Amino acid sequence: MSDKRNPNTKIKNNRKAAVSADGEDVLRREPHTELIVKILCVVAAFCLWIYVMQVESPEYEQTFSHIIVNLTNTDQLVSEKGLAIYNGYGTMIDVTFSGKKSVVSKLQEKDIVATADVSVIDEGGSRYDVRINVDVPAGCKLVGMSQDTISVYFDKAGQTAVDLTEVRENTNLPPNCYTGVVEFPVDKVTVKGPSKVLETIDRAVVSLDLTGVGGTVSMTEEVLLLDKKGEQIVSPYIEYYPREVAVTVPVYKRATVPVEVYFRYGFLNADNTTLIVNPSTVDVTGDPAVIDAGNLLEPIIIDEKTDFTGDIYDQTVRLDFAGGVSCGVTTVDITAVMDESLKTRELTVPGKNIEDTGGKEGVSYTWDHSPVTVTLCGSLEQITQIAPEDIILRLNMSPYSETNTGTIKVRAEVVIDSAYAEGVFETGIYEIDVTFEN
């Protein structure tokens, strides 16, 4: 039997036709499709329940531990009642809050403030139980605390002043270096607090660590309070000033410096003159950088033409140190004696051998042409050969002008003939009268 179908009939996969009560065709879902819809509804309902319970539930509670109780109005307690706390700081409690989890769960220990107002303490006794107050964050309710009060111990408030001293550590300075006296801006440290604590304080110290220090150094260091055993006192119940000090630690270096003596013109030396310097060396101190730079003491110059009396120089001379250098010795005694190889001789220089140089145009003057007796010093051989004609007295007139009037003594330079100039020199000062005719 052949299967003939109406060509207008369409076959739909996975669907079945049904007839409704009013005779219309209705599309019927497959069973597994209805199951998926039911599962999605259950999941959505579960998520909504989780949200309500975890976020919007008003019954969520949380306990916060280790909340520090801050003592307030301690200054008022001191100023109005003359009392100071010496025990009670650092007390910690547990606090429980309730509220929506979205609010409570965001709280941290630092957000919770617990205080105890000590201004309620009355004089008498030494202990007082102060009620604890907790600031309740917005959207929360305080459920409970591990304790409602805090025991605070107090005593008479007092004030004392202790000596400020220093302790130096790691003082291994470079060779020949040492530290000087440290000047503090204050010599006392003022301490305020309960009498029981003040009685334990013996002194205040500043620790100066000199590790790596090679010269004068400035530093700012903390002031520490010590008891009689030398142990540090750290207490939240006291206040003291200054808490730190700025100081300068001077570092000095020692050095031994020879006293050097020279003759200005070089006619005298170790071969023809005995020189005694007492002391011959001096000990100096100064900043290490200054000492290391050298040139600490200026040489002493003796003018062999003018400083000798006969063949002897005997003087106490002041020492001239470089800036920043100090020494306990300020003068030295110097004795210089020409030996027998040097002789003196007096020669009379004729007036014709007195001449001038450097006179300015328009300045008129004349000078005394009287003979001048000059004392010479040198080896016996040369001193006996030189003649008065070998000597010239020269007047340097360049410093003088039309403003000079009258008679002025002008120092004369003694010029010795070049044949003798290296071994013969004059001693003494020679002046000639010059009369200005302006």
Side-chain angles (χ1 to χ4, degrees):
M1 179 174 166
S2 63
D3 184 9
K4 296 182 180 180
R5 297 181 180 179
N6 188 338
N8 295 324
T9 301
K10 296 181 179 179
I11 299 176
K12 304 291 186 179
N13 292 330
N14 302 324
R15 295 185 180 181
K16 293 184 179 179
V19 180
S20 63
D22 55 3
E24 295 181 352
D25 291 340
V26 177
L27 184 63
R28 182 176 297 171
R29 293 185 178 91
E30 293 293 332
H32 69 275
T33 302
E34 295 179 354
L35 179 61
I36 292 173
V37 173
K38 292 178 180 180
I39 292 174
L40 291 176
C41 291
V42 172
V43 170
F46 179 76
C47 291
L48 181 60
W49 179 80
I50 290 293
Y51 173 78
V52 171
M53 294 302 296
Q54 297 296 320
V55 179
E56 297 300 330
S57 173
E59 300 302 324
Y60 180 76
E61 289 186 2
Q62 183 173 339
T63 299
F64 298 87
S65 303
H66 309 298
I67 306 302
I68 296 179
V69 179
N70 297 308
L71 303 183
T72 61
N73 294 321
T74 54
D75 292 341
Q76 182 179 342
L77 181 66
V78 174
S79 62
E80 295 182 358
K81 301 179 182 179
L83 301 176
I85 304 299
Y86 70 86
N87 188 291
Y89 283 103
T91 300
M92 292 185 290
I93 62 173
D94 298 337
V95 179
T96 302
F97 290 117
S98 68
K100 293 182 178 180
K101 186 172 184 179
S102 60
V103 175
V104 177
S105 62
K106 293 180 179 179
L107 292 178
Q108 300 181 20
E109 281 78 3
K110 66 179 182 179
D111 301 322
I112 302 171
V113 178
T115 59
D117 185 358
V118 298
S119 64
V120 299
I121 295 176
D122 292 324
E123 187 174 358
S126 61
R127 171 180 167 174
Y128 196 95
D129 292 335
V130 183
R131 181 169 297 280
I132 300 173
N133 298 308
V134 176
D135 293 345
V136 180
C140 299
K141 289 190 296 185
L142 178 63
V143 175
M145 298 183 290
S146 57
Q147 61 186 73
D148 297 328
T149 61
I150 178 175
S151 295
V152 175
Y153 293 83
F154 58 93
D155 193 8
K156 290 286 186 181
Q159 176 177 313
T160 187
V162 294
D163 293 331
L164 177 60
T165 60
E166 60 172 283
V167 175
R168 302 184 188 184
E169 300 178 353
N170 301 314
T171 56
N172 295 323
L173 299 175
N176 299 321
C177 290
Y178 66 98
T179 55
V181 177
V182 175
E183 298 291 342
F184 287 103
V186 296
D187 57 0
K188 297 281 187 179
V189 173
T190 301
V191 189
K192 298 179 180 180
S195 299
K196 281 185 176 293
V197 180
L198 296 183
E199 292 171 357
T200 66
I201 302 172
D202 181 62
R203 64 190 184 277
V205 300
V206 175
S207 178
L208 304 177
D209 188 349
L210 303 182
T211 301
V213 171
T216 298
V217 62
S218 296
M219 57 181 68
T220 299
E221 298 296 335
E222 181 184 5
V223 176
L224 306 178
L225 300 178
L226 302 183
D227 61 17
K228 293 182 178 179
K229 296 180 180 180
E231 297 179 356
Q232 183 179 356
I233 298 175
V234 179
S235 173
Y237 308 106
I238 57 175
E239 297 178 356
Y240 62 94
Y241 178 84
R243 305 284 299 198
E244 61 181 22
V245 292
V247 298
T248 296
V249 182
V251 177
Y252 303 105
K253 188 172 185 178
R254 301 182 183 91
T256 299
V257 181
V259 179
E260 298 179 337
V261 179
Y262 299 100
F263 294 100
R264 184 178 300 280
Y265 301 101
F267 292 111
L268 301 183
N269 50 57
D271 295 332
N272 56 27
T273 304
T274 300
L275 182 65
I276 301 173
V277 182
N278 184 33
S280 60
T281 62
V282 292
D283 293 329
V284 299
T285 60
D287 187 271
V290 174
I291 298 299
D292 293 341
N295 299 320
L296 306 178
L297 176 60
E298 289 293 324
I300 297 173
I301 306 299
I302 298 176
D303 190 325
E304 58 263 57
K305 293 184 179 182
T306 60
D307 293 342
F308 275 75
T309 301
D311 60 354
I312 296 177
Y313 172 91
D314 190 11
Q315 297 288 335
T316 297
V317 181
R318 180 169 295 277
L319 297 176
D320 184 13
F321 295 97
V325 176
S326 61
C327 180
V329 178
T330 59
T331 61
V332 293
D333 296 326
I334 302 177
T335 301
V337 181
M338 300 180 191
D339 65 25
E340 295 181 354
S341 65
L342 297 176
K343 302 297 180 180
T344 60
R345 179 186 176 191
E346 292 185 350
L347 291 178
T348 301
V349 179
K352 66 182 181 63
N353 282 21
I354 302 175
E355 62 182 37
D356 68 324
T357 183
K360 292 183 174 65
E361 184 177 355
V363 180
S364 293
Y365 51 85
T366 60
W367 61 87
D368 185 2
H369 287 76
S370 300
V372 178
T373 299
V374 176
T375 301
L376 301 180
C377 182
S379 65
L380 179 62
E381 179 181 358
Q382 290 184 313
I383 208 75
T384 56
Q385 294 180 2
I386 194 169
E389 290 74 16
D390 297 323
I391 302 172
I392 295 175
L393 298 181
R394 183 171 294 157
L395 305 174
N396 180 14
M397 302 303 296
S398 61
Y400 304 96
S401 65
E402 297 90 341
T403 60
N404 294 107
T405 59
T407 300
I408 299 176
K409 289 187 178 296
V410 178
R411 183 170 178 175
E413 176 189 5
V414 179
V415 181
I416 300 174
D417 188 275
S418 60
Y420 308 99
E422 292 186 2
V424 177
F425 61 96
E426 80 282 3
T427 62
I429 297 174
Y430 304 94
E431 295 177 326
I432 306 298
D433 288 337
V434 177
T435 301
F436 288 89
E437 301 173 351
N438 297 328

